[in-house]
Amino acid sequence: MVTQKPVIVLKFGGTSVGDVSRVKLVADIVARHRKESPDSNLIVVVSAMAGETNKLVALAKSCVERPNPREMDVLLASGEQVTVSLLAMRLLEIGIPAKSLLAPQARIATTAEHTNALIEGVDSERLNRMMEDGTVLVVAGFQGVTEDGDITTLGRGGSDITAVALAAAANATACYIYTDVQGVFSTDPRMVKGAKLLERVSHEEMLELASLGAKVLHTRSVYFAMRYNIPLVVLSTFAGALEPGQNGTWIVPEGELMEKPIVTGVTYRLDEARIMIQGMSPDISKISNLFDVLAEKSVFIDMISQETVNANSVNLSITVPDENSLTALETIRAMVPELGAEGAMIDRDIAKVSVVGIGMRYHTGVAARVFRALAKERIDIAMINTSEIKMSVLVPRKYCEVAVRALHDEFIDFDVATSEEAA
Ligand code: ADP
Ligand code: ASP
Ligand code: MG
């Protein structure tokens, strides 16, 4: 029996393979990992070149108004086909045995929910067999295959999910996510110059940060890393990774954190819309029926707030993903008579700004400081949502950046509570 070598997974995002010179740089990073870990096999996952998936989406939309999801996936998956082949060619050129694999070849099995499929399994034995002679496998991110052999994609930013799912299937010793910034920052470093590079972030915080807008990691990739206990690190392709000071950000179990800051990060999302139903009946069975109908239409609802106007009338607001907002609005408008409402309006000019930190579990006063920081900038809050480790506020979109900066100034740098204090 062949003893299985440990496996390391490396993932390179779109900017990292954005042109041929960058593909060459990526090949050099792969070569370095191979030299540093001669006893490990390597799986390399790549995204499409930066901007390519957007171009493919636009191409489809220029052809038809509502692209068929199955055909859309065949189109979208083509971006990653280009980069896996280029990288494998380059690796071969510099003397590294390598082979590119598309999802059906890597047997990445998914559900049939086109454009948003879920990974169900990976044939790790087959991957291990292909790596037995030291071949580096270069696997297309973002794509999968159904039981019937149809191509699927995992949702935008889905190459991160491919990488961590392969790492879980291969029981990898680590999964390195190479990207265009040095790691996970206290807020989007492209928006706030003073954003702090975080050395360690707990799985739970990273799940919240990712789902609330820090697109540096896909939420489902963090979930896989947490569930299968895969050491996950985010680092830069361009900053001489693994050199002193360039160690990136490790995503770790909460118990491994020395410090539990009240707020670890500030995030924002611009892809939600708010729908307001005015003057509707407070009858709970009517409200419940409304949510049933929206669920049947597969509309995800994020925030909900209700305001009493008088004994016979309430105003109800919800936020939904912008891509579903017109379906939601049409559905609600059709229900206006049965809801006994005056009408429904939509506001797409909103931003959801959030603060996230596990220290929030142990400290009071976070809401007060959020309100104070935003009040100083005269920013009105339209809706609020909280959980144990996050607080989100809905603000006018034009104030998004000011709100992010105000909350970053308020919480980051000043509040490093030690785990002892937090206990
Ligand atoms: P890739 O193509 O490598 O997958 P993405 O564009 O998906 O890269 O994610 C990296 C980007 O995420 C960064 O360029 C940065 O602008 C953005 N980002 C948003 N919030 C954060 C954050 N808190 N920390 C780091 N990057 C962030
Ligand atoms: N190419 C896909 C996208 O742009 C997947 C990824 O980059 O992770 O969404
Ligand atoms: Mg990404």
Side-chain angles (χ1 to χ4, degrees), residues 11 13-14 47 156-160 177 179 215-218:
K11 179 255 169 178
S47 296
R156 298 304 306 272
S159 296
D160 297 336
I177 304 285
T179 184
K215 70 166 185 159
V216 64
L217 277 179
H218 193 292

Side-chain angles (χ1 to χ4, degrees), residues 280-292:
M280 73 178 266
S281 155
D283 181 347
I284 188 74
S285 59
K286 288 187 176 159
I287 298 177
S288 142
N289 188 33
L290 167 71
F291 286 113
D292 278 342

Side-chain angles (χ1 to χ4, degrees), residues 336-358:
V336 158
E338 67 181 277
L339 293 171
E342 286 159 17
M345 287 181 349
I346 186 163
D347 182 1
R348 300 170 85 177
D349 260 343
I350 55 162
K352 183 168 82 170
V353 178
S354 309
V355 292
V356 174
I358 39 175

Side-chain angles (χ1 to χ4, degrees), residues 33 43 62 83 135 159 175 184 198 208 210 216 218 258 273 300 302 308-309 312 316 359 378 398 408 417:
H33 272 280
I43 298 179
S62 71
T83 46
T135 298
S159 296
C175 179
V184 181
L198 305 170
E208 289 282 13
V216 64
H218 193 292
M258 300 286 285
F300 282 95
D302 181 18
T308 303
V309 180
N312 302 318
L316 188 77
R378 301 185 177 284
K398 63 180 176 194
H408 194 266

Side-chain angles (χ1 to χ4, degrees), residues 274 303 351 353 367-375 378-385 391-396 399 403 407:
R274 178 185 185 204
M303 298 166 119
V353 178
R369 290 174 65 185
V370 167
F371 277 96
R372 202 183 316 130
L374 297 180
R378 301 185 177 284
I379 300 173
D380 286 334
I381 299 174
M383 290 172 86
I384 301 164
N385 198 0
M391 176 169 176
S392 301
V393 294
L394 204 69
V395 299
Y399 296 129
L407 294 174

Side-chain angles (χ1 to χ4, degrees), residues 11 13-15 178-181 183-185 187-190 214-216:
K11 179 255 169 178
T15 319
Y178 279 94
T179 184
D180 55 4
V181 288
V184 181
F185 284 78
T187 192
D188 186 347
R190 299 196 188 285
K215 70 166 185 159
V216 64

Side-chain angles (χ1 to χ4, degrees), residues 11 13-14 47-49 51-54 76 80 141-142 155-160:
K11 179 255 169 178
S47 296
M49 288 182 171
E52 277 311 308
T53 312
N54 287 346
L76 292 187
E80 273 70 11
F142 180 52
R156 298 304 306 272
S159 296
D160 297 336

